[in-house]
Amino acid sequence: MLAKQLSIFLENKGGRLTKVTEVLGQEHINLTAMSIADNSDFGILRCIVSDPELAYTKLKEAGFTVKITDVIGMCVPNTPGSLAVVLKHLSDSGVFIEYLYSFSNGDGANVVIRPSNLEECERILEEIKVDLLAASDLYKL
């Protein structure tokens, strides 16, 4: 159930995010989820795209620093406290969440997580019957 996420280094100057989206658009690569973490000097764009390998290649060719990271996608009920229940199971089992981002869609909330231990996290989520998103489904959201 692991998915590939791109992490793209962006200098804090005008047009860099635009350029990323232009490169992806020219290759007909769809962005299905993204998050930007920044500081005063640079930002990191983390994103799920429809074709991570092609996106990686094309962004590298365009001069971007890009990394591919494994993440886990899941869907939890879009109700108060649902994510807290899942995260409690993980933290009680010693799985640390390095970061996450999410987006809701009707009754469900899709969550992308980068845990400290991918295999253990996946095992726990399956054990507690969390709806894991296959990479192919996450790439199409």
Side-chain angles (χ1 to χ4, degrees), residues 1-4 32 48-50 71 73 132-141:
M1 292 294 183
L2 300 181
K4 303 293 182 194
T32 60
I48 304 294
V49 298
S50 58
V71 293
L132 296 178
L133 299 171
S136 58
D137 291 336
L138 193 56
Y139 301 152
K140 292 185 231 176
L141 290 176

Side-chain angles (χ1 to χ4, degrees), residues 63-118:
F64 287 95
T65 301
V66 185
K67 180 179 168 185
I68 294 182
T69 306
D70 288 329
V71 293
I72 295 175
M74 62 181 169
C75 185
V76 298
N78 189 13
T79 57
S82 295
L83 183 58
V85 170
V86 173
L87 295 178
K88 176 104 171 84
H89 281 282
L90 295 174
S91 62
D92 287 351
S93 298
V95 175
F96 171 73
I97 304 301
E98 295 175 13
Y99 57 83
L100 70 78
Y101 47 101
S102 65
F103 47 102
S104 61
N105 186 11
D107 293 335
N110 299 304
V111 182
V112 176
I113 59 173
R114 174 64 182 174
S116 58
N117 183 325
L118 287 161

Side-chain angles (χ1 to χ4, degrees), residues 28-85:
H28 306 285
I29 298 168
N30 194 36
L31 275 163
T32 60
M34 68 176 155
S35 171
I36 297 177
D38 71 332
N39 66 33
S40 61
D41 298 322
F42 64 91
I44 302 292
L45 169 64
R46 292 184 174 110
C47 57
I48 304 294
V49 298
S50 58
D51 189 338
E53 298 297 334
L54 179 60
Y56 175 85
T57 299
K58 294 302 179 178
L59 288 166
K60 289 290 265 186
E61 288 173 2
F64 287 95
T65 301
V66 185
K67 180 179 168 185
I68 294 182
T69 306
D70 288 329
V71 293
I72 295 175
M74 62 181 169
C75 185
V76 298
N78 189 13
T79 57
S82 295
L83 183 58
V85 170

